[in-house]
Amino acid sequence: MAAVLIIIPMIVAIITVHRKNGLFSDKGGIEYSLVLITIALGITLTGSLSLDAL
């Protein structure tokens, strides 16, 4: 659930703000947003950092 709360705003930020600036973050691009989405998905899919796994 927490990953969705990170992923949705990052997708909106990519579409509304960063898309026109290209890929790289030094020019305000989508690179950093994609990294945050990837990390959130990775943590969610592995499930190793969840309280349920304990």
Side-chain angles (χ1 to χ4, degrees):
M1 185 67 178
V4 173
L5 296 175
I6 295 171
I7 292 171
I8 291 175
M10 288 300 105
I11 291 173
V12 172
I14 287 172
I15 292 171
T16 58
V17 178
H18 301 293
R19 183 176 53 177
K20 66 180 182 253
N21 297 329
L23 176 65
F24 298 109
S25 62
D26 63 339
K27 297 192 187 296
I30 65 172
E31 181 181 23
Y32 185 67
S33 298
L34 287 177
V35 168
L36 291 178
I37 290 171
T38 305
I39 291 170
L41 276 175
I43 290 172
T44 301
L45 295 176
T46 59
S48 62
L49 295 177
S50 69
L51 292 176
D52 294 335
L54 296 174

